[in-house]
Amino acid sequence: MGWRRRGTAGGTYGGCRLRQGPGGSFARGEGAATVQWLRDGLGIVTDASEIEALASSVEDAGGVAFVPALAGLGAPHWDPHARGLLIGLTPGTTRGHIARAALEAISLQVSDVARAMCKDAGFPLEELRVDGGASANDLLLQIQADLAGVPVLRPKVTETTALGAAFLAGLAVGVWKDRDALASTRTLDRGFEPRGDPKDVEALRARWAEAVRRARGWASA
């Protein structure tokens, strides 16, 4: 995620990369790794595209919290000794609850860094523009909008790595005059407005913070 203009940030969900402009900070969440682990490690889905339907089969995560610190925690926690944590399991926990907790975890990681970026930058976030493979997941983006408290905007073209390469080539040969000219090429596919109950959002944040606390330092214990 990076600032595009004042109050506007962009996020890439393939690896949950988050950036804060020139000279700023960089962090990489484990969005893709989380979904891959659910598929290849746990085997609760056979294809990443199944995550949304599975997570939508339940109303919430059923009290389950998942910290996908499979290789430690990045910004803003910075703990290489943290390890993955799946907590809150009961006899009633299903694959759907775990999938839902995973989507919440991806969104919470992005939200944590977004809040840190806004604090450092000194102004609030007004909207979040997303891309990457996981941005096709409507439920993920709705959770993200609820947590961020701002609209989340998905473009029609979400594979921006290839698009960026084409843009650079076009700039080099004069197809576009400058980077400002590229702004008009962005076409919105769908926007997601915040609609979560503030009390529920804060409860989710509190549960996440406690789960992160418990996951920290595990490898050094």
Side-chain angles (χ1 to χ4, degrees):
M1 183 172 69
W3 297 119
R4 304 297 176 83
R5 57 179 174 79
R6 185 180 179 90
T8 300
T12 299
Y13 277 101
C16 285
R17 293 182 291 273
L18 296 102
R19 292 181 174 85
Q20 184 184 345
S25 62
F26 170 83
R28 185 176 188 272
E30 295 301 328
T34 297
V35 174
Q36 183 178 356
W37 182 70
L38 292 180
R39 183 193 65 196
D40 302 336
L42 291 187
I44 69 172
V45 293
T46 57
D47 188 88
S49 62
E50 300 171 9
I51 292 290
E52 181 177 2
L54 184 58
S56 297
S57 68
V58 293
E59 293 185 3
D60 53 44
V64 175
F66 177 35
V67 181
L70 305 180
L73 285 169
H77 307 289
W78 299 119
D79 185 354
H81 301 295
R83 288 297 179 266
L85 177 70
L86 188 60
I87 193 169
L89 304 179
T90 71
T93 299
T94 67
R95 296 185 306 137
H97 292 117
I98 295 174
R100 185 102 181 193
L103 295 187
E104 289 179 350
I106 294 170
S107 298
L108 284 158
Q109 284 185 304
V110 171
S111 182
D112 279 353
V113 180
R115 297 178 88 182
M117 288 168 57
C118 288
K119 182 179 179 180
D120 290 345
F123 52 82
L125 185 65
E126 296 175 359
E127 65 182 32
L128 178 61
R129 300 181 179 183
V130 300
D131 52 59
S135 66
N137 189 317
D138 289 351
L139 178 59
L140 172 64
L141 299 193
Q142 185 58 59
I143 294 172
Q144 190 69 76
D146 293 343
L147 284 167
V150 298
V152 172
L153 309 179
R154 179 177 64 203
K156 287 187 175 180
V157 179
T158 59
E159 297 303 331
T160 51
T161 299
L163 184 62
F167 281 162
L168 288 173
L171 286 170
V173 299
V175 175
W176 295 283
K177 181 179 179 181
D178 51 35
R179 287 187 294 179
D180 290 336
L182 296 177
S184 62
T185 66
R186 181 182 174 89
T187 305
L188 182 67
D189 172 53
R190 180 176 173 183
F192 297 81
E193 296 289 335
R195 64 186 187 196
D197 186 312
K199 291 183 178 179
D200 292 339
V201 171
E202 287 309 308
L204 179 58
R205 286 190 185 281
R207 187 175 66 197
W208 164 255
E210 176 59 19
V212 168
R213 184 189 70 80
R214 298 188 185 202
R216 300 189 67 158
W218 185 264
S220 61

